[in-house]
């Protein structure tokens, strides 16, 4: 999200911290899925493969949903800034992003 106003810059700075944590979470997903599917299906290659496919599809879906939520949040943030309460807008957007990250994590497990 690129925004020329100071509130946008303030939000961008705060979101970078959340983004780093989210990126670390996403980087661990393939290994987590592999280990989970393998532990549940260690003796059956077909069940392991099915598990990997299902979990991978779920992760792909959740990533797309997260992206859409971020676009929506950006639009809401821009509307909020027009109302004039910058601090409230930044805190609300930050809370929304944290909630989206939490939902992502919950839904991929």
């Amino acid at each position: 999200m690129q925004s020329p106003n100071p509130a946008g810059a303030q939000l961008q700075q705060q979101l970078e911290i959340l983004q780093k944590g989210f990126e670390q979470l996403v980087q661990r997903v393939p290994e987590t899925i592999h280990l989970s599917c393998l532990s549940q299906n260690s003796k059956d290659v077909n069940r392991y493969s099915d598990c990997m496919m299902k979990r991978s599809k779920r992760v792909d879906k959740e990533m797309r949903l997260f992206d859409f939520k971020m676009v929506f949040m950006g639009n809401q943030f821009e509307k909020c800034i027009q109302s004039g309460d910058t601090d409230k807008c930044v805190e609300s957007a930050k809370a929304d992003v944290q909630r989206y990250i939490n939902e992502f994590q919950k839904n991929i497990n």
Side-chain angles (χ1 to χ4, degrees), residues 54-55 57-59 61-63 65-66 69 99-109:
K54 288 177 186 174
R55 298 280 303 272
K57 285 181 183 180
R58 187 179 331 156
V59 170
K61 176 186 173 192
E62 291 302 322
M63 286 296 295
L65 288 171
F66 182 83
K69 289 175 182 180
R99 188 175 74 249
Y100 302 155
I101 291 170
N102 293 343
E103 289 171 354
F104 174 85
Q105 188 170 18
K106 177 183 158 218
N107 291 338
I108 63 167
N109 290 327

Side-chain angles (χ1 to χ4, degrees), residues 1 8 17 19 25 27 43 46 49 65 74 76-77 101 108:
M1 174 170 73
I17 296 166
Q19 181 180 356
L25 170 67
Q27 288 175 353
K43 298 193 186 298
N46 291 323
S49 299
L65 288 171
Q76 294 300 104
F77 177 73
I101 291 170
I108 63 167

